Amino acid sequence: MIGAALWQRPGGRLGLVLLATVLLVVLFAPAVLPPPYLQPDLEQGRFLPPGAGHLLGTDDLSRDVLSRVVAGGRVSLAVAAGAVALSLTLGTLVGMVAGYAGGWLDMVLMRLVDAALAVPRLFLLLIVVGIMERIPLGVLIVTIGATGWFGTSRLVRAEVLRLRTLEFVRGAEALGAGHLRILGRHLLPNVLGPLTAATTLAVGDVILLEAGLSFLGLGVQPPTPSWGGMIFWSRSDLVTAPWISLAPGVAIVLTVVAVNLVGDALQDASGEQPR
């Protein structure tokens, strides 16, 4: 099993522990933390350093930094999960159709993918978000997901082209199985191994991308907290109150490292599984 092989790798274990810790904190910590928008004392509660009352200190509006990091984690992870799910769906659909159909349809779809890959993803995102003065969270998720499936489609296409030549697919075709049955029953399950590893690694990329957009002021807008937005809005206080920026920065690093460790271990494990 890939799960057991993943746990046997030191990097996989470390990544799973880190990722599980981040998810548990993000999901359950809000129950015991003050609301991230609460401003209890705008005079005496501003820029309090980390201590017993506020484990990660407070910001310029006396808001608890830990509460905002946890709330920002929910937003950043939701963006990553939604965008990766959309890009995974689009990339898998296009890649399977191109690889299985072949011929002119494969050529047209792959040339369109090549053209899209030739344009930097960040440039496409800047065009879209630049059109709107305030981009809603749902639109941000769709935009990131709709510009991130091109590499996935090429990976799926390559796997489908390889699988089409194997005996079990040839046998299904000889027995009269329909195209949808072959795609869904025989090809898709065998594509999921390498696709899962690539998808896991893509989560880290999306987290960094969303943080970068928010840092530029083009992603999640205040008062909704996000890790990149917290760094952006506290950049002027980096010297006097560095904990406001360091906390979300450390959260980004830990989450991306955890996801990449899991993705690398999954890639190794899936490569060792018999097919």
Side-chain angles (χ1 to χ4, degrees):
M1 295 293 292
I2 290 182
L6 175 62
W7 186 253
Q8 291 174 359
R9 290 165 168 76
R13 287 197 299 271
L14 178 59
L16 286 174
V17 171
L18 285 175
L19 190 57
T21 302
V22 171
L23 291 176
L24 288 174
V25 170
V26 166
L27 291 175
F28 298 108
V32 297
L33 292 174
Y37 307 108
L38 183 64
Q39 303 173 18
D41 190 348
L42 291 176
E43 292 185 3
Q44 304 296 326
R46 300 171 67 243
F47 297 125
L48 293 179
H54 301 279
L55 294 180
L56 295 181
T58 61
D59 62 8
D60 60 326
L61 296 177
S62 74
R63 297 173 297 191
D64 186 77
V65 173
L66 178 57
S67 297
R68 293 186 60 76
V69 169
V70 171
R74 286 190 166 192
V75 173
S76 297
L77 292 177
V79 170
V84 169
L86 177 59
S87 64
L88 174 67
T89 302
L90 294 175
T92 302
L93 179 61
V94 173
M96 292 192 69
V97 169
Y100 185 73
W104 66 269
L105 183 57
D106 178 25
M107 183 184 66
V108 170
L109 290 175
M110 287 302 102
R111 295 299 76 77
L112 291 174
V113 169
D114 290 339
L117 287 172
V119 182
R121 186 182 184 185
L122 183 59
F123 179 72
L124 293 174
L125 289 170
L126 290 176
I127 291 176
V128 175
V129 300
I131 296 175
M132 307 180 66
E133 181 178 352
R134 186 179 182 89
I135 182 168
L137 186 61
V139 176
L140 179 64
I141 294 174
V142 171
T143 303
I144 295 177
T147 56
W149 58 269
F150 312 121
T152 302
S153 66
R154 295 189 68 86
L155 173 65
V156 172
R157 172 183 176 272
E159 282 293 303
V160 171
L161 288 175
R162 184 186 66 83
L163 293 169
R164 279 190 60 189
T165 63
L166 300 183
E167 293 182 356
F168 71 94
V169 177
R170 298 288 190 183
E173 292 175 343
L175 291 173
H179 297 316
L180 292 179
R181 181 178 178 83
I182 293 175
L183 287 169
R185 185 73 179 271
H186 300 286
L187 294 178
L188 181 59
N190 289 280
V191 171
L192 291 179
L195 190 59
T196 301
T199 300
T200 306
L201 294 171
V203 171
D205 294 337
V206 172
I207 291 174
L208 290 174
L209 184 59
E210 183 276 326
L213 289 173
S214 296
F215 179 77
L216 295 173
L218 301 173
V220 178
Q221 299 295 316
T224 303
S226 72
W227 288 337
M230 289 181 65
I231 298 174
F232 172 73
W233 293 108
S234 62
R235 67 192 187 282
S236 60
D237 305 315
L238 186 59
V239 176
T240 57
W243 57 85
I244 305 176
S245 298
L246 287 177
V250 170
I252 293 173
V253 171
L254 289 178
T255 306
V256 173
V257 167
V259 170
N260 286 342
L261 285 174
V262 172
D264 289 339
L266 273 174
Q267 212 165 34
D268 295 339
S270 62
E272 295 178 2
Q273 297 300 311
R275 297 186 180 183

